[in-house]
């Protein structure tokens, strides 16, 4: 792995959450306290808070091969979501991948599991690829050098997704084969989104010396993930 001489995560800088992972957790806890519990973004925020807390425990327990890389990736990743939150709060448009969730966050016909998966879709499908590129620039390494950290974070997400589905899934009397939610759940896969994020990160890194082409790819990725999110948030009748 290339030698890394950049500042450690949590150092000074504009817009950077303080104290690494714990700074991100503190910000998410504050958001959780401020938003009504049924709010769609609040539903995703609770999911992401659980993921970030699990990453923090893994860092503390030494389960990442490179702690600094893991923390940097986690913080750069979280910044993408928090920037979308700040944009919406300031009446600025968030990235296209996040717009459906913010637009439909109070829709009574959207179920909590849909909100959670739409947020995961935006964050994994779009933000994760850009966070890998951000981390590679910051640490002076190739995306391939971050594969172990990427895989470990991905494993945490997969395990938590299973728990999320169990907690937010409607009861057996509602979850029937004809229920539209069944079809929506079958149309999206975290594993496929994770694989796509890794491929997108590698492609964006390969295009780093061709900024116009790379920007075009980022825009298409943002739009495509936003379209998938809008479909996941299709209002359903009880």
């Amino acid at each position: 792995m290339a030698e890394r001489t950049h500042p450690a995560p949590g150092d000074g800088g504009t817009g950077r959450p303080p104290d690494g992972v714990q700074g991100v957790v503190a910000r998410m806890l504050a958001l959780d306290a401020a938003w009504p519990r049924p709010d769609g973004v609040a539903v995703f925020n609770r999911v992401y808070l659980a993921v970030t807390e699990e990453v923090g425990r893994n860092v503390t327990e030494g389960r990442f091969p490179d702690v600094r890389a893991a923390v940097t990736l986690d913080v750069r990743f979280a910044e993408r979501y928090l920037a979308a939150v700040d944009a919406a709060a300031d009446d600025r448009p968030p990235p296209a991948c996040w717009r459906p969730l913010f637009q439909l966050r109070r829709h009574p016909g959207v179920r909590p599991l849909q909100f959670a998966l739409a947020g995961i879709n935006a964050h994994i499908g779009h933000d994760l690829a850009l966070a890998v590129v951000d981390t590679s620039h910051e640490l002076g390494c190739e995306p391939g050098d971050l594969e172990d950290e990427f895989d470990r974070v991905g494993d945490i997400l997969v395990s938590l997704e299973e728990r999320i589905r169990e907690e937010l899934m409607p009861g057996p009397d509602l979850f029937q084969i004809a229920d539209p939610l069944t079809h929506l759940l079958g149309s999206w896969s975290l594993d496929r989104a994770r694989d796509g994020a890794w491929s997108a990160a590698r492609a964006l890194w390969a295009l780093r010396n061709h900024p116009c082409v790379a920007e075009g790819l980022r825009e298409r990725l943002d739009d495509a993930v936003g379209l998938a999110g809008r479909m996941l948030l299709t209002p359903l009748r009880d």
Side-chain angles (χ1 to χ4, degrees), residues 13-204:
T14 57
R16 178 177 300 180
D19 304 321
V21 177
Q22 291 307 310
V24 171
V25 168
R27 177 77 195 282
M28 291 182 191
L29 285 169
L31 292 172
D32 185 56
W35 288 331
R37 192 166 183 81
D39 179 284
V41 184
V43 171
F44 168 73
N45 188 76
R46 289 193 294 274
V47 170
Y48 193 24
L49 174 60
V51 171
T52 307
E53 289 175 331
E54 184 65 21
V55 170
R57 283 191 288 271
N58 277 255
V59 168
T60 301
E61 295 167 5
R63 295 184 181 179
F64 284 101
D66 186 327
V67 171
R68 187 179 177 201
V71 172
T72 304
L73 178 59
D74 185 71
V75 174
R76 297 289 82 74
F77 189 29
E79 284 178 338
R80 295 278 171 180
Y81 160 62
L82 296 173
V85 169
D86 290 340
D90 294 340
D91 292 324
R92 293 180 287 110
C97 62
W98 284 106
R99 284 175 206 161
L101 181 58
F102 283 95
Q103 290 168 349
L104 297 170
R105 63 193 297 176
R106 297 180 181 88
H107 197 295
V110 180
R111 301 180 190 177
L113 182 57
Q114 292 176 261
F115 288 131
L117 291 183
I120 294 171
N121 169 69
H123 205 37
I124 301 296
H126 174 265
D127 294 353
L128 184 55
L130 273 60
V132 169
V133 173
D134 292 343
T135 301
S136 296
H137 281 298
E138 181 166 342
L139 299 182
C141 66
E142 299 279 331
D145 296 326
L146 302 171
E147 189 167 8
D148 287 340
E149 289 74 28
F150 180 95
D151 286 343
R152 181 62 188 163
V153 170
D155 290 343
I156 292 170
L157 287 164
V158 168
S159 65
L160 286 173
E161 187 208 17
E162 295 173 357
R163 192 178 82 190
I164 291 159
R165 287 177 183 259
E166 290 175 359
E167 291 178 354
L168 298 181
M169 190 76 74
D173 56 326
L174 295 177
F175 191 62
Q176 303 295 332
I177 192 65
D179 190 329
L181 182 58
T182 307
H183 299 281
L184 282 178
L185 294 179
S187 69
W188 187 85
S189 163
L190 190 149
D191 282 334
R192 289 198 297 269
R194 175 181 160 187
D195 290 345
W198 183 246
S199 296
R202 299 294 291 265
L204 288 169

